[in-house]
Amino acid sequence: MISRLQPKNIDILSLTTIATPHRGSAFADYMFDQIGPKHVPRVYRTLESVGFQTGAFGQLTRAYMRDEFNPRTPDQLGVRYYSYGASLDPTLWSVFKFSHDVISRLEESENDGLVSVESSRWGEYKGTLVGVSHLDLINWTNRIKSLVWRSMGWEVNFNALALYLDIAGKSIPSSIEGLRKC
């Protein structure tokens, strides 16, 4: 929106991204390699038949981001860019164990199960959220994890809503424990 639509009625001062694949994801590359170009349309149709939207999948590859998206979407003068990454050390039963290991092997970088810390870096890097998965960042696992962890007497150390409010500058007490400044 900032560099391509260039809205005239909005004064954009900054953009903050969180675990955004600015340089694509090695896991997307891996999946496309495994599926093969011949089978991609069939996989898309299958995913769409159960309600998944597939339009952006091809845009998550490292080649697409490097060769197409980033060159066509330059940073704009006067806008400050900030970014955060996330890293996870998944357990054996984590939904992200396989994808995390693929990204670690192919990119040799910490990652949140879908996006590497290196791919997340854009503009002024504010730090890495440690022990946080990509689903934690969009608050999909926060409620269930909080309920289970609290019932077991464990402390929950990440709250996605508090993070976003803190970044937006709202004055609420927030705990962003595990943020490693880089």
Side-chain angles (χ1 to χ4, degrees), residues 141-156:
T141 56
N142 202 40
R143 288 186 189 129
I144 295 169
K145 186 187 288 185
S146 293
L147 179 65
V148 171
W149 282 32
R150 286 191 179 117
S151 71
M152 298 177 85
W154 297 340
E155 183 180 333
V156 177

Side-chain angles (χ1 to χ4, degrees), residues 35-163:
I35 293 169
K38 176 179 160 188
H39 301 290
V40 168
R42 186 178 59 192
V43 170
Y44 277 4
R45 282 192 304 278
T46 302
L47 289 171
E48 289 167 357
S49 73
V50 294
F52 284 100
Q53 299 205 2
T54 59
F57 285 169
Q59 297 174 357
L60 297 174
T61 64
R62 293 181 289 175
Y64 179 84
M65 293 302 290
R66 179 190 63 238
D67 300 336
E68 295 185 47
F69 184 83
N70 287 334
R72 289 193 328 238
T73 314
D75 289 352
Q76 293 298 292
L77 291 175
V79 176
R80 299 190 65 185
Y81 293 84
Y82 304 99
S83 61
Y84 291 84
S87 69
L88 176 68
D89 188 14
T91 60
L92 286 174
W93 56 86
S94 170
V95 68
F96 288 117
K97 178 67 175 148
F98 179 71
S99 58
H100 178 274
D101 291 351
V102 167
I103 295 168
S104 293
R105 182 172 40 85
L106 296 177
E107 291 191 49
E108 298 180 359
S109 178
E110 295 177 285
N111 66 83
D112 66 2
L114 290 178
V115 179
S116 72
V117 169
E118 289 307 310
S119 186
S120 298
R121 292 176 184 272
W122 198 265
E124 182 182 329
Y125 191 69
K126 303 299 280 183
T128 302
L129 300 159
V130 178
V132 178
S133 77
H134 205 75
L135 288 179
D136 291 333
L137 291 167
I138 59 173
N139 209 34
W140 276 22
T141 56
N142 202 40
R143 288 186 189 129
I144 295 169
K145 186 187 288 185
S146 293
L147 179 65
V148 171
W149 282 32
R150 286 191 179 117
S151 71
M152 298 177 85
W154 297 340
E155 183 180 333
V156 177
N157 63 3
F158 180 74
N159 181 328
L161 299 177
L163 171 66

